[in-house]
Amino acid sequence: MSETRSVPLYCPYCGEEDLRPSEAGHGAWECHACVRVFTVKFAGLLSRAAAGPAGATAPAPGTVTR
């Protein structure tokens, strides 16, 4: 696992790259093009069971698989 954190490369609202860390809090970034402040937060990983093989769809709830 890396000790360094990735930074956003572009604003999720306008797509510009003029981003600077914000004093609003940890993970907050200021876009000086559209004058917005947004945060970046890692929510977690999907479980392997939920992801399944590439291109596969999960069976509907209550479906019996054999």
Side-chain angles (χ1 to χ4, degrees):
M1 189 75 40
S2 176
E3 292 295 321
T4 60
R5 299 191 184 263
S6 296
V7 298
L9 300 176
Y10 57 89
C11 174
Y13 297 100
C14 70
E16 288 295 324
E17 298 176 357
D18 188 11
L19 302 178
R20 298 177 192 158
S22 175
E23 295 178 5
H26 180 70
W29 292 87
E30 298 174 356
C31 175
H32 286 252
C34 68
V35 196
R36 287 187 167 112
V37 176
F38 62 93
T39 59
V40 177
K41 179 181 174 185
F42 178 71
L45 298 173
L46 293 175
S47 68
R48 291 191 185 268
T57 57
T63 303
V64 177
T65 58
R66 298 176 191 217

